[in-house]
Amino acid sequence: MNPLCVFWFRRDLRLEDNHGLYLALKSGLTILPIFIFDERILRELPARDARVAFIRNRVKELPGVRVFTGEPVKVWANLFKNHNIKAVFCNEDYEPYAIERDRKVAALACAAGAAFHTIKDQVIFAKNEIVKDNGEPYRVFTPYSRAWLRKLNPQSLKPFKSGTAKPAPPINKVLIRNYEKQRNRMDLDATSHLGIHLRFGTVSIRKIAQAAKSLSPTFLKELIWRDFFMQTLFHFPHTVNEPFNPKYKNIRWRNNKSEFKKWCEGKTGYPIVDAGMRELNATGFMHNRARMITASFLTKHLLIDWRWGERDFAKKLLDFELASNVGNWQWVAGCGCDAAPYFRVFNPALQAKKFDPSGKYVKKWVPEAGTSQYPKPMVDHEFARRRALTEFHRALRTGPA
């Protein structure tokens, strides 16, 4: 059998500027590109999941890729058995499940006499590249971002000549240039919609960062937040299920199932909250400002565990990314890494007035708002705010459960 180098496509579904693929091509060996639909992940998704459809369509556009379905370790065991594999290249993934999966595949590769290489590609800086002087990971975003910017240089954003294919999603330079002024306006179509492309790697993070660097420091800051959440998840994997700050383990969440159902369906009686949830349910997307408003309402107004909301978003968001989803939910709930203070409780009415001044966003998603068909608010804002502050204060005063 001819010696092969296998390139494993994962969260990098492109030929252009693909770091791992670039190094695989330099190996000099015949390349076998593969993609594996992980049965463990598929079992947790609905039969018709838009994200899976997106992946299938993108994989079809990658020339010569062999597609497998099954448990990755079993798929790899058969590959090593049936092929003369000398090297495996893939781009790094920083989620706990992915790290354990790669550890097992690396062990199979070692037993088969093959090298197993994981390469940084989906972030600008990863793992221990941005740490404090004492080697500890940053827990606060601002000093992390300063260190990130100090480390950034032309080499950090240099593309890798790994091939060309179908053009990547266009980068709307006008949108990026106006991002700072318009990003919070829910009544404007001013968000990049690049999330799904960054999530599945159909566009290079280096290409996006290069454009942001020259056009919008605010947009670049959002990419730094993405790196920050990735490194936080890598260093603190327990945050998938537990608050980063253990002081918040003692919160007595109300976790009312009927209230959670109303929140999920967009029937809370607060138009701006319901608009966000209905947009998500209908499209798999939600405006960034709406994500903060809806998350704040769930955790503060209803005192429902942030993990309930995080899992609901995980099921529905086309651009779902574990590190950012967990990081942002904990940020809003006040229990995460560099979180918003617990006493920050968004007032839905004021948020709507400020960020949907024309009412266009609400009118689109909640057309019955203001009529007799629309439900009354499920909880009074001031009452809910006081209740949340009282509980958070009690939890912090008494310490972890």
Side-chain angles (χ1 to χ4, degrees):
M1 293 185 289
N2 292 331
L4 297 176
C5 172
V6 179
F7 180 72
W8 185 6
F9 281 101
R10 293 147 22 142
R11 297 181 52 164
D12 51 355
L13 303 180
R14 67 185 188 283
L15 297 185
E16 180 189 22
D17 189 16
N18 186 316
H19 194 180
L21 179 58
Y22 167 78
L23 293 177
L25 292 169
K26 289 189 68 176
S27 71
L29 296 169
T30 300
I31 304 295
L32 171 62
I34 72 166
F35 183 86
I36 303 172
F37 282 102
D38 189 334
E39 280 187 342
R40 174 176 167 177
I41 296 174
L42 293 178
R43 283 195 295 265
E44 298 176 357
L45 299 175
R48 294 184 178 180
D49 188 275
R51 293 165 294 193
V52 175
F54 180 89
I55 293 171
R56 289 190 188 280
N57 290 333
R58 186 56 187 173
V59 169
K60 287 178 182 178
E61 296 170 352
L62 298 172
V65 176
R66 288 186 61 183
V67 179
F68 301 88
T69 300
E71 295 182 18
V73 175
K74 292 181 180 179
V75 171
W76 275 105
N78 287 326
L79 284 169
F80 285 120
K81 179 180 178 180
N82 298 320
H83 298 276
N84 182 17
I85 299 172
K86 294 298 182 183
V88 176
F89 284 85
C90 54
N91 288 314
E92 289 175 341
D93 195 323
Y94 310 105
E95 298 180 4
Y97 168 70
I99 291 172
E100 178 62 15
R101 174 201 63 201
D102 288 355
R103 185 190 66 77
K104 293 177 180 178
V105 175
L108 288 176
C110 182
F116 186 81
H117 305 283
T118 58
I119 314 299
K120 181 186 71 173
D121 180 74
Q122 63 168 306
V123 293
I124 303 301
F125 298 116
K127 295 182 176 178
N128 295 310
E129 288 187 289
I130 306 292
V131 292
K132 300 177 186 177
D133 291 341
N134 62 4
E136 293 182 357
Y138 282 98
R139 297 164 182 253
V140 178
F141 175 74
T142 299
Y144 172 87
S145 65
R146 289 176 183 146
W148 193 100
L149 289 168
R150 286 195 300 269
K151 191 174 180 67
L152 188 68
N153 60 51
Q155 192 66 27
S156 307
L157 305 180
K158 183 179 179 181
F160 297 93
K161 297 180 179 180
S162 54
T164 58
K166 179 181 178 180
I171 300 174
N172 190 325
K173 294 184 177 180
V174 174
L175 185 149
I176 292 177
R177 189 177 291 113
N178 295 330
Y179 184 76
E180 181 176 5
K181 294 179 180 179
Q182 299 181 345
R183 65 188 178 123
N184 283 309
R185 286 287 298 275
M186 291 179 282
D187 56 339
L188 302 176
D189 186 17
T191 54
S192 71
H193 291 276
L194 286 172
I196 189 171
H197 298 290
L198 287 172
R199 168 64 180 87
F200 296 111
T202 52
V203 66
S204 162
I205 183 66
R206 290 171 289 279
K207 185 175 184 179
I208 300 297
Q210 185 66 61
K213 183 174 178 289
S214 61
L215 295 171
S216 172
T218 302
F219 195 95
L220 184 64
K221 184 178 178 181
E222 295 300 311
L223 300 181
I224 303 174
W225 269 108
R226 183 172 178 270
D227 274 14
F228 178 65
F229 284 142
M230 288 277 192
Q231 70 92 30
T232 299
L233 182 63
F234 175 77
H235 287 288
F236 307 99
H238 72 278
T239 56
V240 172
N241 297 306
E242 297 292 335
F244 181 88
N245 190 333
K247 293 189 297 184
Y248 291 88
K249 286 185 177 181
N250 202 32
I251 295 173
R252 297 178 301 196
W253 300 108
R254 293 176 60 252
N255 290 347
N256 183 298
K257 292 182 179 179
S258 64
E259 291 183 0
F260 179 66
K261 185 173 184 290
K262 289 181 180 179
W263 176 84
C264 290
E265 295 175 349
K267 297 178 180 178
T268 68
Y270 282 87
I272 199 68
V273 174
D274 294 341
M277 295 307 298
R278 294 186 193 185
E279 180 186 24
L280 174 62
N281 294 335
T283 69
F285 173 83
M286 190 194 294
H287 190 283
N288 292 336
R289 172 55 58 169
R291 297 186 195 201
M292 289 191 283
I293 295 170
T294 56
S296 176
F297 188 87
L298 184 75
T299 56
K300 305 293 177 59
H301 282 71
L302 302 182
L303 269 180
I304 290 178
D305 196 324
W306 63 269
R307 285 165 285 209
W308 288 33
E310 190 275 329
R311 288 163 190 160
D312 183 70
F313 274 25
K315 292 176 185 176
K316 299 173 182 176
L317 283 172
L318 294 178
D319 60 10
F320 166 68
E321 192 170 63
L322 182 63
S324 294
N325 204 45
V326 167
N328 281 311
W329 268 96
Q330 290 207 30
W331 185 89
V332 173
C335 62
C337 191
D338 191 22
Y342 74 87
F343 48 81
R344 183 182 187 186
V345 181
F346 286 151
N347 182 323
L350 294 181
Q351 291 287 309
K353 184 177 181 180
K354 187 174 182 180
F355 300 118
D356 184 28
S358 68
K360 181 179 177 182
Y361 183 71
V362 165
K363 289 174 186 175
K364 179 177 182 179
W365 296 109
V366 193
E368 77 276 22
T371 73
S372 59
Q373 284 77 44
Y374 189 62
K376 294 181 180 180
M378 59 192 299
V379 64
D380 176 74
H381 168 69
E382 282 302 324
F383 166 79
R385 180 178 178 276
R386 289 193 299 270
R387 180 175 64 183
L389 295 181
T390 298
E391 175 54 29
F392 274 71
H393 181 67
R394 182 210 62 80
L396 293 176
R397 186 176 66 250
T398 57

